[in-house]
Amino acid sequence: MTDIGFVRSHLEESRPAPHRTSGPLAWMQKNLFASPLDTGLTILGLLFLLWVVPPLFNFFIGHAVFPGGTVEDCRALNAGACWAYIYSEIEFFIYGFYDIDQLWRPNLVFLLGALLLIPLAIPKAPYKGLNAVLFLVVYPIVSYYLLAGGVFGLRVITTEKWGGLLVTLILSVIGITLSFPLGVILALGRQSQMPVIKTLCVAFIELIRAVPLITILFMASIMLPLFMPQGTTVDKFLRALVGVTLFTSAYMAEVVRGGLQAIPRGQYEAAAALGLNYWQRMFFIILPQALKHVIPGIVNSAIALFKDTSLVYIVGMKDLLEAVKTKNDSALEWQSSNTSTTGYIFAAMVFWAFCFGMSRYSIFMERRLNTGHKR
Amino acid sequence: MSQVMQTAEERRIDTSNMKVSDTDVAIEVIGMHKWYGDFHVLRDINLKVMQGERIVIAGPSGSGKSTLIRCINRLEEHQEGQIIVNGTELTADLKRIDEVRREVGMVFQHFNLFPHLTILQNLTLAPIWVRGIPKKDAEATAMHYLERVKIPEQANKFPGQLSGGQQQRVAIARSLCMQPKIMLFDEPTSALDPEMVKEVLEVMISLAEEGMTMICVTHEMGFARQVANRVIFMDQGQIIEQNEPEEFFSNPQHERTKLFLSQILH
């Protein structure tokens, strides 16, 4: 018979975990050559890289024609990317047909935007409230008058002349900053107990989501003027901006609604039981939690909007992509087999840089806002 | 329950401040009915709670006890009859609802602390925004109540970092920061580990000792015996029996009450 009684005589001290194997060799063994299959896949992968990387390298760097090169270099038999073309036309890509002697104005707008946005994005930077007001209220007004002119002796430059990255950035920054609060309000409206508000929000969201952005832009540019009284014109740029913003806000609304639904009922009830009114409940308790849940979705919509701005070519505006395309087709002096490819690659790289930036920032914010409270 | 019995041995209840008013009515429920769709959850509820009363509501699950106290601060809407809290009748009027909620604190089974705010922020949010108290004063009050529930050192942590018992004590402190006239407890210890039940009951007992008007839905019969001046037994959405705890436990009248007590007191 075994004795099942047991009394621990001393408590086990906690001690460090056993030595893990470390160093590059151990890492490689674990990640690259753990099994015959892994080894095979690793070798296949290396061969693939060997096959793909050298030609890419040659195209982008090795045989590429850098600024300072001439169009003859670009036309050479083995030539790679024609960066010289990008360099020589960069002003058109960034500003479109904006008056060359007035480029300091958009440059100042870019600079102010960066100076205001960067501290706003850094959690530790002080004066968040003032910063937000400057960026969200003062900056758009200042930027508009700087770009459009007409005051303080600034020459008037109509939006027809704006183009390139300038247009892409203005559309996306304004579109994102407006569609986000609009989307939140639509999401709250859709959850409202009040039937009229709820119906309006549902109708708006479902209508906009059911229609492609191209259609909305078409409507805005071609059909809207037909409904307007004779003689009134709404700026083309403004129409595109409104179209893009409304379109994205419908998507934002559904993303935010997903977040709202993830909040347990107890949170609503606890907030109500403390006597907080509807807006206080939403603003202090529900939205901070709900929005945190859906940061990936919100950024998804923001990135989609950023890329969708290239559709404004429909209404005859030259955003970055359209500016590149225009130049590709018209710059006879730069004609070579790689010119337009290089142009599109440049546009892709710019789009990618901005989208990747947004994506990384959202991941950073997710980590930062995680207060470790899994319910 | 064994913990509560221990409590009883450890300390005697100080009854000097536990006075039930003869004239001031805290809550009055008259002929109240409630339906969830077609389901008649609460039927002909009549209840008068005087200031300073400590009431325990017991009953099987699904008997409507939680629904009843949730009607008192209008987390649930009643369809018939009257509910009057501190002289304000609850109607669809949002102003009145807010008025009542300001004066009625509620503690939930699952604590419902705000996970994105620190403990201190949880405690000061409502006083600052509902009562308009300056932040400094609200924080001083909050620290006072955190000391009362014996966890002032947790003030700057997030709810997720606290144990269940600590979270529930914070939830009680959060309600107290609004200086309520009435406290509602909705099964405050049901979601807690057995070892943590006692620390929460301790806080509730000390509240009772200060003369707080309390309605507690709970299965802690030890607490009912010690603290309550009235026990209400509910079944199938109705008040079946109510009495002083002594009488209620030793001499239940209704068959259903007898059955219930025989099930839970073994």
Side-chain angles (χ1 to χ4, degrees):
Chain A
M1 255 187 61
T2 47
D3 186 6
I4 56 166
F6 169 74
V7 178
R8 184 169 278 285
S9 54
H10 66 279
L11 294 176
E12 191 77 12
E13 292 294 320
S14 99
R15 53 195 174 89
H19 258 307
R20 260 174 288 142
T21 44
S22 54
L25 273 179
W27 182 89
M28 276 166 65
Q29 224 236 301
K30 187 177 163 216
N31 292 294
L32 299 178
F33 304 105
S35 67
L37 179 66
D38 284 5
T39 311
L41 288 173
T42 302
I43 292 169
L44 271 180
L46 285 174
L47 287 175
F48 178 76
L49 287 179
L50 230 62
W51 178 55
V52 164
V53 171
L56 280 179
F57 178 83
N58 282 340
F59 181 82
F60 281 100
I61 297 164
H63 297 164
V65 180
F66 286 97
T70 64
V71 69
E72 274 69 38
D73 300 333
C74 289
R75 286 176 186 154
L77 192 62
N78 248 340
C82 188
W83 300 123
Y85 158 66
I86 305 293
Y87 182 74
S88 96
E89 302 299 340
I90 192 77
E91 279 181 355
F92 185 75
F93 295 157
I94 296 180
Y95 311 101
F97 291 113
Y98 209 87
D99 298 7
I100 296 286
D101 60 332
Q102 297 290 309
L103 290 188
W104 64 271
R105 282 155 63 175
N107 282 339
L108 187 59
V109 168
F110 286 146
L111 182 71
L112 282 176
L115 285 180
L116 288 170
L117 187 58
I118 289 170
L120 197 63
I122 297 173
K124 282 200 184 105
Y127 306 118
K128 274 278 172 302
L130 176 70
N131 197 336
V133 171
L134 282 177
F135 182 72
L136 296 175
V137 182
V138 180
Y139 176 62
I141 298 171
V142 171
S143 301
Y144 175 76
Y145 284 113
L146 259 177
L147 290 173
V151 288
F152 304 120
L154 289 174
R155 190 195 312 158
V156 172
I157 299 178
T158 58
T159 53
E160 323 259 294
K161 289 184 170 177
W162 304 9
L165 186 62
L166 178 67
V167 160
T168 300
L169 284 180
I170 295 177
L171 279 177
S172 357
V173 170
I174 300 184
I176 290 167
T177 34
L178 287 184
S179 65
F180 174 61
L182 204 58
V184 170
I185 289 175
L186 282 169
L188 291 177
R190 189 166 189 166
Q191 294 219 319
S192 166
Q193 309 274 339
M194 288 176 264
V196 177
I197 291 178
K198 186 176 173 144
T199 315
L200 280 176
C201 290
V202 171
F204 178 85
I205 292 169
E206 295 303 338
L207 187 74
I208 299 269
R209 279 205 309 165
V211 177
L213 178 57
I214 288 195
T215 319
I216 291 175
L217 291 174
F218 254 129
M219 290 269 289
S221 73
I222 295 165
M223 293 186 56
L224 202 63
L226 298 180
F227 298 130
M228 305 275 264
Q230 289 265 312
T232 49
T233 53
V234 178
D235 191 277
K236 205 162 64 177
F237 187 80
L238 188 64
R239 275 181 274 166
L241 186 58
V242 170
V244 172
T245 304
L246 292 184
F247 184 76
T248 306
S249 68
Y251 283 85
M252 288 269 190
E254 287 300 278
V255 171
V256 173
R257 190 165 68 97
L260 291 175
Q261 280 173 344
I263 305 301
R265 227 178 106 188
Q267 292 289 309
Y268 290 88
E269 290 176 349
L274 283 170
L276 296 167
N277 66 33
Y278 176 81
W279 291 107
Q280 291 170 335
R281 294 202 289 270
M282 291 303 142
F283 190 76
F284 293 122
I285 308 300
I286 305 303
L287 283 176
Q289 298 183 59
L291 295 180
K292 201 182 72 192
H293 286 310
V294 293
I295 288 175
I298 291 171
V299 175
N300 224 1
S301 298
I303 287 177
L305 182 146
F306 185 77
K307 292 185 296 180
D308 282 349
T309 53
S310 51
L311 285 173
V312 295
Y313 80 90
I314 295 277
V315 296
M317 282 171 43
K318 297 209 184 306
D319 77 304
L320 174 62
L321 186 60
E322 189 61 10
V324 168
K325 185 170 182 294
T326 310
K327 215 28 147 190
N328 284 347
D329 297 347
S330 64
L332 298 176
E333 71 277 18
W334 278 103
Q335 220 151 47
S336 78
S337 55
N338 284 335
T339 301
S340 52
T341 315
T342 310
Y344 287 129
I345 287 174
F346 168 73
M349 283 178 358
V350 174
F351 274 105
W352 182 83
F354 279 98
C355 294
F356 187 67
M358 283 192 256
S359 162
R360 296 314 297 180
Y361 183 67
S362 87
I363 291 171
F364 164 73
M365 281 312 278
E366 269 172 63
R367 291 222 185 97
R368 198 190 117 73
L369 291 175
N370 181 12
T371 47
H373 47 251
K374 289 279 164 276
R375 270 178 295 271
Chain B
M1 205 158 21
S2 54
Q3 279 99 19
V4 182
M5 296 308 176
Q6 276 172 17
T7 319
E9 287 157 23
E10 278 167 21
R11 67 181 264 198
R12 293 181 61 88
I13 306 288
D14 173 11
T15 53
S16 55
N17 287 320
M18 293 165 72
K19 293 196 183 80
V20 175
S21 166
D22 295 331
T23 49
D24 298 334
V25 182
I27 301 167
E28 193 162 16
V29 182
I30 307 162
M32 192 261 277
H33 292 257
K34 171 170 178 59
W35 288 263
Y36 282 131
D38 280 337
F39 178 55
H40 201 167
V41 260
L42 292 178
R43 308 175 196 182
D44 188 35
I45 303 289
N46 289 285
L47 176 66
K48 195 170 182 180
V49 181
M50 307 306 287
Q51 234 156 64
E53 271 205 282
R54 303 159 308 278
I55 292 180
V56 163
I57 305 182
S61 62
S63 60
K65 8 183 236 307
S66 287
T67 311
L68 171 58
I69 69 165
R70 288 158 60 85
C71 282
I72 291 171
N73 64 356
R74 193 81 175 187
L75 288 182
E76 305 281 354
E77 193 181 326
H78 62 281
Q79 279 89 26
E80 244 177 57
Q82 281 180 300
I83 301 177
I84 301 156
V85 183
N86 286 322
T88 309
E89 187 185 347
L90 279 170
T91 60
D93 184 355
L94 288 178
K95 248 191 180 161
R96 290 190 185 191
I97 294 173
D98 284 342
E99 207 172 292
V100 165
R101 283 175 179 166
R102 276 199 292 273
E103 308 301 331
V104 178
M106 183 153 196
V107 176
F108 298 86
Q109 180 177 1
H110 295 288
F111 332 134
N112 295 348
L113 294 177
F114 307 131
H116 62 301
L117 301 176
T118 64
I119 300 306
L120 198 59
Q121 289 168 332
N122 262 278
L123 266 62
T124 54
L125 184 77
I128 290 174
W129 291 97
V130 179
R131 292 244 192 259
I133 292 169
K135 192 172 170 219
K136 268 230 166 79
D137 301 353
E139 282 178 352
T141 314
M143 286 313 295
H144 166 77
Y145 282 111
L146 278 183
E147 262 155 44
R148 270 212 45 190
V149 300
K150 303 196 179 72
I151 36 176
E153 72 280 2
Q154 313 283 359
N156 292 312
K157 290 197 182 159
F158 286 98
Q161 297 166 300
L162 271 56
S163 75
Q166 290 173 328
Q167 289 194 46
Q168 192 60 299
R169 284 185 281 157
V170 170
I172 295 174
R174 177 175 71 178
S175 287
L176 294 177
C177 281
M178 285 293 283
Q179 321 268 6
K181 295 198 176 80
I182 300 165
M183 284 288 283
L184 307 174
F185 292 85
D186 188 2
E187 306 205 21
T189 56
S190 300
L192 295 176
D193 289 344
E195 282 185 303
M196 295 169 177
V197 170
K198 187 179 148 192
E199 61 189 46
V200 171
L201 288 180
E202 273 289 332
V203 171
M204 291 170 63
I205 291 170
S206 74
L207 257 185
E209 286 176 328
E210 283 169 26
M212 175 67 78
T213 310
M214 300 163 74
I215 302 186
C216 313
V217 172
T218 181
H219 299 295
E220 297 292 334
M221 290 304 130
F223 173 81
R225 248 188 250 258
Q226 261 190 304
V227 174
N229 62 321
R230 183 155 40 131
V231 180
I232 293 177
F233 176 69
M234 286 182 74
D235 190 29
Q236 294 179 0
Q238 300 158 61
I239 296 179
I240 302 289
E241 187 167 346
Q242 56 172 314
N243 214 329
E244 289 174 359
E246 196 72 7
E247 276 295 297
F248 179 84
F249 288 112
S250 59
N251 192 15
Q253 301 296 309
H254 197 282
E255 280 309 311
R256 187 66 188 86
T257 320
K258 285 180 193 166
L259 178 66
F260 178 75
L261 288 177
S262 76
Q263 304 272 16
I264 62 161
L265 304 172
H266 18 243

